[in-house]
């Protein structure tokens, strides 16, 4: 071990520490010789890396300025034909995001109307700000109460910030569509079946808020989410139909029983009134005769008055 340390000390003595600008210190190895150890802190290394990046940045800026000057020279020499390439037009509902040598040009998105670009060093991306409609394909969802349903929806969204939609995400529209599908499945999976069928507006509002928060970093504004349809399995539809039919039949029987009860009470009250007044029964006979004669003219029913029957009954009793 001492032999190896002595060789290291000899090798370090051949190198001039001052030429490398590295702080060194000496340490004894135990046999009278000394070795030099690097005591350079990490911040010195970091400063050197930062210095290299600054030099690279200065070089790139110099190259950029040279290319821009050459582009201006080419444009001036080829005028007026270069104006056909330099001037672009975007519509009222569009914006242009310009990049100069790969860097975003200051000033934000350009448009609407005419804007200017330099040939060979500038390129631009055209962004449509109009509201788009995305029809979410049917998603197979397992609800909270373990029922498999197929749900589809419609998402209305638009680009809110053209610059962010280009620089922060590769394809803002495709990302929004995939996120809409995932959000639809996640939202439906946390609710039971009866809430999905009866609380569509609440679920749509929650989905709209969740999508809007997630797509804000992409420059996308989700304006509205609507659930189109909820498709149930055929067996479940039959079971629900049978359940609803049985419930309706039960309510119908209850209503019919209540009607018969009320009718019996009304008949009892009518019989009491007729029993108190014998002439009321004769009037009832005449009313019935009038009703039958008006409905069926070919048939005439003439009831025998009860007073005549009473006379004959009294005569037979005397005999």
């Amino acid at each position: 071990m001492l032999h190896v340390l002595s060789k290291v000390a000899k090798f370090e003595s051949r190198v001039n520490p001052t030429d490398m600008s590295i702080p060194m210190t000496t340490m004894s190895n135990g046999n009278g010789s000394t070795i030099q150890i690097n005591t350079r802190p990490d911040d010195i290394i970091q400063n050197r890396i930062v210095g290299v990046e600054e030099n690279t940045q200065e070089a790139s800026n110099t190259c950029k300025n040279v290319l821009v000057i050459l582009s201006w020279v080419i444009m001036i020499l080829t005028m007026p034909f270069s104006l056909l390439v330099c001037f672009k037009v975007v519509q009222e509902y569009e914006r242009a995001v310009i990049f100069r040598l790969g860097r975003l040009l200051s000033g934000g998105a350009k448009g609407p109307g005419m804007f200017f670009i330099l040939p060979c060093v500038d390129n631009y991306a055209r962004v449509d700000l109009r509201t788009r409609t995305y029809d979410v394909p049917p998603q197979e969802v397992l609800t909270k109460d373990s029922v498999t349903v197929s749900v589809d929806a419609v998402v209305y969204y638009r680009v809110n910030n053209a610059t962010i939609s280009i620089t922060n995400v590769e394809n803002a529209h495709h990302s929004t569509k995939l996120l809409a599908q995932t959000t639809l499945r996640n939202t439906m999976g946390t609710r039971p079946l009866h809430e999905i069928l009866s609380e569509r507006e609440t679920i749509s509002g929650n989905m709209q808020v969740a999508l809007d928060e997630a797509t804000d970093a992409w420059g996308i504004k989700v304006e509205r989410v609507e659930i189109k349809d909820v498709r149930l399995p055929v067996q479940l539809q039959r079971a629900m139909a049978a359940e609803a039919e049985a419930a309706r039949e039960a309510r119908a029987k209850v209503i019919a029983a209540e009607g018969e009860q009320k009718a019996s009470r009304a008949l009892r009250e009518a019989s009491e009134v007729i029993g108190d007044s014998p002439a009321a029964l004769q009037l009832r006979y005449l009313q019935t005769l009038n009703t039958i004669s008006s409905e069926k003219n070919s048939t005439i029913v003439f009831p025998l008055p009860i007073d005549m029957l009473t006379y004959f009954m009294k005569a037979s009793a005397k005999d």
Side-chain angles (χ1 to χ4, degrees):
M1 181 66 180
L2 296 177
H3 181 67
V4 174
L5 291 176
S6 63
K7 287 186 176 181
V8 173
K10 292 180 181 179
F11 176 77
E12 294 290 345
S13 62
R14 297 176 185 176
V15 181
N16 187 5
T18 57
D19 296 338
M20 298 178 63
S21 300
I22 299 176
M24 308 293 291
T25 185
T26 58
M27 184 182 70
S28 176
N29 58 6
N31 59 354
S33 61
T34 59
I35 59 174
Q36 293 180 345
I37 300 176
N38 179 15
T39 60
R40 179 180 58 183
D42 294 337
D43 56 351
I44 297 178
I45 300 176
Q46 184 68 24
N47 291 335
R48 289 191 175 185
I49 295 175
V50 173
V52 173
E53 292 179 352
E54 291 177 354
N55 294 334
T56 306
Q57 184 70 23
E58 292 177 357
S60 63
N61 291 335
T62 303
C63 182
K64 174 185 175 181
N65 295 332
V66 172
L67 293 176
V68 170
I69 292 174
L70 290 177
S71 178
W72 278 103
V73 171
I74 293 174
M75 185 194 69
I76 293 173
L77 293 178
T78 57
M79 288 182 67
F81 301 102
S82 61
L83 299 179
L84 301 176
V85 180
C86 295
F87 287 98
K88 302 292 181 180
V89 178
V90 292
Q91 304 297 327
E92 180 69 27
Y93 52 83
E94 293 178 334
R95 297 294 183 271
V97 181
I98 304 176
F99 296 90
R100 177 164 294 175
L101 295 175
R103 292 182 175 274
L104 183 65
L105 195 65
S106 61
K110 306 298 182 181
M114 184 179 297
F115 62 95
F116 177 82
I117 62 173
L118 286 175
C120 303
V121 295
D122 288 351
N123 60 345
Y124 71 97
R126 194 187 301 266
V127 181
D128 195 338
L129 302 183
R130 291 177 293 182
T131 300
R132 294 196 176 191
T133 304
Y134 174 55
D135 190 1
V136 181
Q139 304 293 314
E140 295 292 335
V141 180
L142 183 64
T143 61
K144 189 176 181 180
D145 50 356
S146 301
V147 178
T148 302
V149 296
S150 179
V151 186
D152 55 351
V154 181
V155 179
Y156 300 90
Y157 69 96
R158 60 181 175 84
V159 177
N160 189 30
N161 192 319
T163 304
I164 295 177
S165 66
I166 294 296
T167 57
N168 285 12
V169 62
E170 180 180 1
N171 192 332
H173 301 288
H174 183 63
S175 301
T176 303
K177 293 176 181 179
L178 293 179
L179 184 60
Q181 298 179 13
T182 307
T183 305
L184 178 62
R185 289 195 297 266
N186 295 339
T187 304
M188 293 300 177
T190 58
R191 293 179 177 270
L193 180 61
H194 69 275
E195 291 187 3
I196 294 176
L197 296 177
S198 60
E199 299 182 2
R200 294 190 180 184
E201 294 183 0
T202 304
I203 296 174
S204 300
N206 295 338
M207 286 184 58
Q208 189 269 334
V209 172
L211 282 174
D212 192 22
E213 291 179 355
T215 57
D216 185 58
W218 302 339
I220 299 294
K221 173 66 177 177
V222 179
E223 298 179 343
R224 191 177 182 87
V225 178
E226 290 292 340
I227 297 176
K228 292 175 57 179
D229 190 15
V230 179
R231 299 184 181 90
L232 304 178
V234 179
Q235 296 179 353
L236 182 59
Q237 292 180 9
R238 293 175 180 175
M240 295 178 65
E243 181 183 0
E245 184 178 359
R248 286 194 297 269
E249 289 180 356
R251 288 195 299 269
K253 290 180 180 180
V254 172
I255 294 173
E258 292 178 354
E260 291 179 357
Q261 184 181 7
K262 293 180 179 179
S264 62
R265 291 178 180 177
L267 289 174
R268 186 185 66 180
E269 294 176 357
S271 63
E272 292 177 355
V273 173
I274 293 174
D276 295 339
S277 177
L281 183 59
Q282 183 66 27
L283 294 175
R284 182 60 179 169
Y285 274 143
L286 296 175
Q287 184 180 3
T288 304
L289 179 61
N290 185 21
T291 302
I292 294 174
S293 63
S294 63
E295 292 181 356
K296 296 182 179 180
N297 298 326
S298 61
T299 303
I300 298 175
V301 178
F302 185 77
L304 185 65
I306 296 179
D307 294 340
M308 295 178 63
L309 294 177
T310 306
Y311 175 76
F312 288 111
M313 290 176 63
K314 290 181 179 180
S316 61
K318 290 180 180 180
D319 293 341

